Amino acid sequence: MTATTPKDTLARLLEVDEVDAPDLPVSWNVAPTQPVYVVATSSSGARRLRALRWGLVPNWAKDPRIAAKLINARAETLSKRPAFRSLVARRRALVPVSGFYEWRGQPPGARNPRQPFYFRRPGAEPLVFAGLWDVWFDAEDRPLRTCTVITTTANKTMTPVHHRMPVVLSPGHWDEWLNPEPLRPGRLAELLVPAPEGLLKSFPVGLAVNSALNDGPELVEPHRPAGAQDGFWPAPAG
DNA sequence: CCAGACGTTGTT
DNA sequence: GTCTGG
DNA sequence: CCAGACGTTGTT
DNA sequence: GTCTGG
């Protein structure tokens, strides 16, 4: 994913009460285990922006390396998974980003690397993902706050590239999502749906994004996919 | 009962 | 912490 | 998500 | 093939 909006701008956009985060470097290649700005409700009820590490480490974890497996959470099974169930009830979070990448599936047996696509709003405005967060304490009792991003089925824009997509919450749903009380199962299902058609634009980008060591605005410049295998799948619209 | 996992993606 | 598998 | 490592002994 | 790190 990409994160290029300063925390103060996000704080205004998301109507945050408290900012308790360092300035994170702008990034066009946020990888799992790296910090992102996250908004959640504090114990006193304030809407607070913090920097949390992407990749959930549940409070009960013995080994924080579990984070690698918990970077996404399926909307459909959220309420029954031991790793997420309690968090869905009381530790929901907003994860604002500038855009995100998905890699296009390949014909079986293909050997070339998968083609990355960038997804963002037409005017590059921030997107707000639905997430969950938790806090874990190491042996020295230092807190580690982490988050995961909820996914759902792909909308029509996404389908040519990938069959899943992150849940994007519209501004009208932010308050309800941040309320630290359980939601009715039916309501959860209504909120965790694919983004409306037209919200996102997408285009292929260069393979540089494939290495977490690469970063910079050039990663999100449109880039024609190379290679004879291209075209096996339709190009995404938008 | 205790031990061990706790997840998603995509691929075949 | 809670669930599943043995 | 993708890329890159995947190991031990013993030395400076 | 599978795990770890970014």
Side-chain angles (χ1 to χ4, degrees), chain A residues 25-74:
Chain A
V26 166
S27 177
W28 289 269
N29 202 358
V30 179
T33 73
Q34 294 177 347
V36 288
Y37 293 129
V38 169
V39 172
T41 303
S42 74
S43 50
S44 60
R47 193 183 281 198
R48 181 165 58 196
L49 182 152
R50 277 181 154 155
L52 270 60
R53 218 178 69 170
W54 179 27
L56 189 78
V57 180
N59 60 82
W60 42 257
K62 291 189 187 82
D63 184 343
R65 287 175 301 185
I66 194 174
K69 300 194 231 179
L70 303 179
I71 63 176
N72 292 122
R74 287 176 69 94

Side-chain angles (χ1 to χ4, degrees), chain A residues 129-200:
Chain A
F129 290 162
L132 305 173
W133 73 279
D134 205 353
V135 55
W136 174 84
F137 294 92
D138 69 13
E140 285 76 44
D141 229 42
R142 289 173 300 217
L144 175 64
R145 291 183 176 81
T146 59
C147 65
T148 190
V149 172
I150 299 174
T151 64
T152 186
T153 52
N155 68 13
K156 214 174 132 195
T157 307
M158 285 285 315
T159 297
V161 175
H162 201 69
H163 67 113
R164 305 287 301 172
M165 72 185 299
V167 172
V168 178
L169 293 176
S170 62
H173 290 154
W174 294 346
D175 197 63
E176 187 176 8
W177 186 251
L178 290 180
N179 178 17
E181 291 299 324
L183 287 167
R184 290 174 20 245
R187 188 58 183 149
L188 251 193
E190 286 170 5
L191 294 176
L192 303 181
V193 294
E197 302 303 333
L199 182 77
L200 300 171

Side-chain angles (χ1 to χ4, degrees), chain A residues 208-226:
Chain A
V209 70
N210 286 5
S211 170
L213 300 179
N214 295 330
D215 199 356
E218 68 277 8
L219 297 190
V220 299
E221 282 167 15
H223 190 281
R224 267 299 125 202

